[in-house]
Amino acid sequence: MFSDKINQAYQSLNETDLSIVSVVTQNFNEIPKLGIERLSKMCNYSRTSILRTAKKLGFSGYAEMRNYIRWEIENNKSNSPTTIPTLETDVKQTLVELENTKHFDTIVDRIIANKRIFIYGTGEGQKNCANEIQRLFMQVGVYLFVIKASAEFQIIAKDLTKDDMVIVISLSGEIDRYKESIQLLKAKKIPLVSITTLSNNPLAANADYRLYAVSSSVLLNNAEAHVSFLTFYLLGECLFRRYIEKINLTLNG
């Protein structure tokens, strides 16, 4: 399976490789139809970068990787589908990415120290994740404010100070609808945390601290893609548990 190729090579993959792999897995069923130029535009990386990533995964080049994916899709059609290996891979890759980030403990320290924490989810699924993170921290008397809409985000951003922090949850990381709010946060030096899929995206580029969720897409009957928020919830749970660990260490130390 392609996911096995990723697991085997994971330790050798850099951020560029992981971004390309993320785009490939999110558009898995479309890859057999895509030339390298089209994929290059989707990834915002050069042909050379894609070829280098394909070779790290054990292929001679993009053509062989695309043929391998085509074979896997056709093979899966003739067998009973199972979602467990894909979900397991997503969870493992998200946890490995989390372990390798330099920002995780800093974000938790900010939650402990900052005056107010605001969370903005850019869509319905993202808002549900924000509400769950809010619920988790409410259990220990930490009250995070969930921003309901982009217009509300713009109003709140004007009132924030450097003692506050903002967490934005987004699948794509596109910031067109709330670009002014992001620019205002940067101008006021207000800490910004992004939680996005593993890709090169504008939100992560503008964030002070970045967390990445690996989430493979599933093609629906109407040819639209379903992307799971499972690993986004996982990141929220990890933040909460690390917060508890740090508080307990402080109390017992």
Side-chain angles (χ1 to χ4, degrees):
M1 293 179 63
F2 187 73
S3 58
D4 293 329
K5 295 279 189 181
I6 298 172
N7 286 334
Q8 291 167 10
Y10 200 88
Q11 296 302 324
S12 67
L13 302 180
N14 57 32
E15 188 170 339
T16 297
D17 299 320
L18 292 172
S19 295
I20 292 171
V21 165
S22 177
V23 173
V24 170
T25 55
Q26 289 175 40
N27 299 276
F28 195 75
N29 288 286
E30 300 302 314
I31 293 299
K33 308 172 190 175
L34 299 180
I36 192 170
E37 292 291 349
R38 174 62 179 150
L39 182 60
S40 175
K41 291 178 181 179
M42 291 172 66
C43 297
N44 290 321
Y45 287 110
S46 67
R47 289 166 47 101
T48 303
S49 295
I50 293 172
L51 290 170
R52 187 181 300 117
T53 300
K55 289 181 179 179
K56 285 186 179 182
L57 294 175
F59 302 105
S60 60
Y62 176 67
E64 185 180 357
M65 183 176 79
R66 184 174 61 178
N67 289 336
Y68 183 91
I69 291 173
R70 179 184 292 112
W71 169 84
E72 183 173 325
I73 292 171
E74 291 174 352
N75 188 58
N76 285 341
K77 288 179 180 177
S78 61
N79 294 289
S80 299
T82 174
T83 60
I84 301 302
T86 301
L87 291 174
E88 183 180 8
T89 297
D90 285 352
V91 169
K92 285 181 178 179
Q93 290 180 11
T94 298
L95 291 175
V96 169
E97 180 64 29
L98 186 61
E99 289 173 0
N100 291 334
T101 184
K102 300 175 182 178
H103 302 141
F104 185 54
D105 273 350
T106 306
I107 295 169
V108 176
D109 290 339
R110 287 277 190 179
I111 293 174
I112 294 172
N114 281 47
K115 181 180 177 182
R116 297 178 297 182
I117 311 296
F118 294 82
I119 311 181
Y120 174 54
T122 60
E124 287 306 312
Q126 295 89 323
K127 286 182 174 64
N128 290 336
C129 292
N131 288 332
E132 174 61 11
I133 295 173
Q134 180 191 54
R135 185 194 69 81
L136 288 171
F137 280 93
M138 195 181 298
Q139 298 176 100
V140 291
V142 178
Y143 300 102
L144 284 63
F145 302 89
V146 175
I147 302 172
K148 302 297 184 181
S150 58
E152 184 179 319
F153 189 6
Q154 190 169 5
I155 294 170
I156 290 172
K158 297 175 182 178
D159 187 50
L160 300 180
T161 72
K162 288 188 288 186
D163 293 327
D164 302 317
M165 184 171 77
V166 176
I167 302 171
V168 178
I169 305 172
S170 170
L171 274 178
S172 66
E174 295 299 327
I175 61 174
D176 292 344
R177 287 188 293 111
Y178 51 96
K179 186 175 182 180
E180 290 184 11
S181 300
I182 297 297
Q183 290 174 336
L184 184 56
L185 296 184
K186 289 178 67 67
K188 297 173 72 173
K189 300 187 184 305
I190 296 165
L192 172 63
V193 179
S194 67
I195 303 179
T196 67
T197 50
L198 185 56
S199 64
N200 183 25
N201 64 79
L203 176 57
N206 281 278
D208 299 286
Y209 312 108
R210 292 165 288 279
L211 295 177
Y212 292 110
V214 178
S215 184
S216 302
S217 63
V218 177
L219 196 64
L220 304 178
N221 291 333
N222 57 3
E224 292 185 3
H226 160 74
V227 180
S228 170
F229 283 94
L230 171 66
T231 49
F232 285 81
Y233 284 99
L234 176 62
L235 288 177
E237 183 73 27
C238 288
L239 282 173
F240 176 67
R241 292 192 177 215
R242 184 60 177 145
Y243 172 88
I244 296 299
E245 289 175 1
K246 283 188 170 258
I247 291 297
N248 288 339
L249 284 172
T250 301
L251 293 175
N252 296 328

